Amino acid sequence: MSVISIGQAAVLGVVEGVTEFLPVSSTGHLKITEGLMGIPVDDAAVVGFTAVIQVGAIAAVLVYFFKDIVRIVSAWGRGLTDKEERYHHDYKFAWWVIYATLPIVVVGLAAKPLVEGPLASLWVVAGSLIVGSGVMWAADQMGRHKRGEDDTTFKDAMLVGCSQILALLFPGFSRSGATMSTALILDLDRVAATRLSFFLGIPALTGAGLYELKDAIGTGVGAAPLVVGTAVSFIVAYASIAWLLKFVARHSFNAFVVYRVVVGLLLLALLGTGALNA
């Protein structure tokens, strides 16, 4: 019998789709939702399930940015055989995404027992939500927002890629929040920071989902909940991406900062009173 029902899978799919690319921590919100529904947040099958339904959100990125991805991949393919193409920014950018993904892959494999064990605690989520909010606010204030997407460099990609490790080790910090904050500190504008976060998330999150698939299916989650959660995640994430890009073009990240602090404090209160099991 599946540890997650189809109805619970649909709810978690909505949460994943809404929060995966917003800088509010999808992992944190999933763990909070799982806790409220009585699902064990540190169960290997549950951890695997949350990683797999992320693939639905990543699929939404692939569809939304299909033309950009085709352009970048095509430039990379041409550059493998044509030296002249190697001076093209898209060719370089494709390699940067590959290189920038390696650090989180290495740390993810090495720290898997910690990520699925002690660091899966809701106490960690609450603290990371609040601390990450401070980092995001500071980054938005410090950044000069003067560089666009075409101005990104190898250094930018590597630093932003490495920042994903913060979200891996401290669920609640937010992968989007960490990457966007780092990009802002590097003076990228908000739209460029957001798009870079999307592109860097594609290989990291897809790889995590495929890697965890065996755990999700083999240790207690049925195929039907996985399909439902992933499908719902895709639909909701597509709408979330479109909204976020419009929002950051005109607004700061302050609304997300306030929201994260409120959720973090509320979570601490629920855990402190025993209303929610860590």
Side-chain angles (χ1 to χ4, degrees), residues 82-92:
D82 186 344
K83 291 183 178 180
E84 293 298 322
E85 287 290 336
R86 295 173 190 173
Y87 294 99
H88 198 287
H89 185 270
D90 285 339
Y91 171 80
K92 296 177 182 177

Side-chain angles (χ1 to χ4, degrees), residues 44-190:
V46 176
V47 174
F49 172 84
T50 58
V52 171
I53 65 173
Q54 286 178 337
V55 176
I58 291 300
V61 175
L62 295 175
V63 173
Y64 193 91
F65 293 107
F66 182 74
K67 292 182 179 179
D68 294 298
I69 294 170
V70 169
R71 188 190 74 245
I72 293 169
V73 173
S74 297
W76 180 75
R78 291 192 302 270
L80 293 177
T81 57
D82 186 344
K83 291 183 178 180
E84 293 298 322
E85 287 290 336
R86 295 173 190 173
Y87 294 99
H88 198 287
H89 185 270
D90 285 339
Y91 171 80
K92 296 177 182 177
F93 185 77
W95 277 115
W96 297 346
V97 170
I98 294 172
Y99 294 144
T101 302
L102 295 178
I104 193 172
V105 171
V106 173
V107 175
L109 292 174
K112 192 172 187 289
L114 284 175
V115 173
E116 295 182 354
L119 294 178
S121 168
L122 289 178
W123 287 106
V124 176
V125 171
S128 299
L129 275 167
I130 296 171
V131 172
S133 300
V135 173
M136 187 183 301
W137 179 83
D140 208 11
Q141 301 303 310
M142 291 168 55
R144 290 178 287 178
H145 315 292
K146 66 177 184 178
R147 300 169 57 212
E149 187 173 350
D150 291 338
D151 299 317
T152 55
T153 64
F154 174 68
K155 176 183 175 182
D156 296 331
M158 289 302 298
L159 290 174
V160 174
C162 286
S163 70
Q164 296 179 110
I165 295 172
L166 285 172
L168 173 69
L169 297 178
F170 304 104
F173 202 96
S174 168
R175 191 202 65 83
S176 295
T179 52
M180 290 178 190
S181 295
T182 303
L184 290 174
I185 292 172
L186 294 170
D187 293 331
L188 290 175
D189 64 46
R190 294 187 184 96

Side-chain angles (χ1 to χ4, degrees), residues 236-272:
V236 177
Y238 189 91
S240 179
I241 293 167
W243 177 84
L244 180 61
L245 287 171
K246 292 179 181 178
F247 180 86
V248 298
R250 299 178 178 84
H251 303 87
S252 71
F253 288 109
N254 289 343
F256 297 117
V257 171
V258 173
Y259 172 80
R260 288 169 56 103
V261 171
V262 171
V263 172
L265 292 175
L266 178 60
L267 181 55
L268 286 175
L270 291 172
L271 291 170

Side-chain angles (χ1 to χ4, degrees), residues 16 28 134 161 232 267:
E16 164 64 23
V232 172
L267 181 55

